[in-house]
Amino acid sequence: ELRWSAHVSRDPAMMKIFREGKIDIHTATAQALYRGNWNSLSDEKRSSLRRSAKAVNFGLLYGMTVGGFIRYAKLEYGLDLSRDEASSWVSIFFSKYFKLREYHRNIVEFCRRTGYVESPLGRRRRLPEINSENKWLKLEAERQAINHPIQSISSDAVLIALNEIVERRPFDIEECMPILFVHDELVFESPEDDRVEDRARIIKEFMENPPLDELFGVKPLVPLVAEVKVGYNLAEMEELEL
């Protein structure tokens, strides 16, 4: 979702991070939040700051309010933030990724005028409540307007990759079978044999290169990256380096 956010917002800082691949975006955000000598920090402190940065990246991606962010950071990451701290982090985030806030404003205004928003692949979502006199219905519609173009293409790109795998059959689908789709993840059931890594590499290749340009004329502005995990069940998955 962060990569597709860079695509739809065309934020230069986000695109630079994803294109260069020198550091991940959570570390980049952590460095902005700290504003000190990053190299002087212990590994433990860096890890702690990076975890805080994940709360910031995922919490503010869809225009969360300061109050909403405080609750989200506590619930999802166990962070206790004062209103001043949260406001400061929000300010730093949107100073670093300034085009993202511009995107938020533009997509909400577009939805107010048209009553709908559209993903880069053309999937529309109608949100008439965005012009409601009810404050809470209006705020929820604004959040969904910001959310839809990003989450829609995130999941659609994965489904398109799965469709390519099923149609092209780069391996025996009956042997290595897709059994679950979770928003932007695919789960396959495979025999435990010496071809597990080969199948995983093929799946990764398809997920990172869905034919979006060929089918929709959409070229991702940043590389798509799929991480691979293997395990005996979903509770015991370990990352597989390919």
Side-chain angles (χ1 to χ4, degrees), residues 72-90:
Y72 172 82
K74 174 64 175 177
L75 181 64
E76 298 294 333
Y77 293 89
L79 299 175
D80 288 305
L81 299 175
S82 68
R83 193 164 188 87
D84 286 344
E85 282 179 306
S87 296
S88 175
W89 283 12
V90 170

Side-chain angles (χ1 to χ4, degrees), residues 15-26:
M15 290 196 294
K16 185 173 188 289
I17 291 166
F18 290 129
R19 286 172 174 173
E20 292 182 351
K22 293 179 181 178
I23 59 173
D24 69 270
I25 194 165
H26 300 310

